[in-house]
Amino acid sequence: MDKIQILEKQAIDAAFSNQWEKAIKINKQILTLDKNNLEAILRLGFAYFQLQEFKQAKKIYQHGLKIQPNNPVIIKYLEKI
């Protein structure tokens, strides 16, 4: 298991435990290793959304749209914001 896979598991565990600050920290670590990791972008945007940090969520989701312009999850959350 590589470093990103380990961090992904930790990020998912943090989200399932509603530990959004921890999830944000871990997903940011993933993005420092792979700035275009779409799954980390989705998780990070969702964590910000859960904390009602909509400005940050929007910024992250807009980055995700550059990678995958028609991603339905990103579009859905941008509409909610």
Side-chain angles (χ1 to χ4, degrees):
M1 203 180 263
D2 69 10
K3 185 168 178 79
I4 290 179
Q5 288 175 315
I6 293 166
L7 289 170
E8 285 175 339
K9 182 179 179 340
Q10 291 173 354
I12 292 166
D13 290 345
F16 277 127
S17 302
N18 292 330
Q19 296 176 319
W20 302 115
E21 296 288 350
K22 183 177 180 182
I24 287 169
K25 180 182 173 192
I26 297 167
N27 283 301
K28 282 182 173 182
Q29 287 179 314
I30 294 168
L31 291 172
T32 60
L33 298 170
D34 177 7
K35 69 177 182 163
N36 292 326
N37 185 311
L38 191 60
E39 293 300 316
I41 290 167
L42 291 171
R43 287 190 302 267
L44 182 57
F46 186 73
Y48 279 127
F49 188 87
Q50 292 300 314
L51 292 175
Q52 298 185 351
E53 294 182 23
F54 300 122
K55 185 177 178 182
Q56 286 297 103
K58 183 177 181 180
K59 181 180 168 185
I60 295 299
Y61 283 136
Q62 286 174 332
H63 175 66
L65 278 182
K66 291 176 186 170
I67 298 164
Q68 195 175 73
N70 296 316
N71 185 293
V73 174
I74 294 173
I75 292 168
K76 178 177 107 175
Y77 278 98
L78 283 173
E79 288 172 356
K80 287 183 177 188
I81 294 169

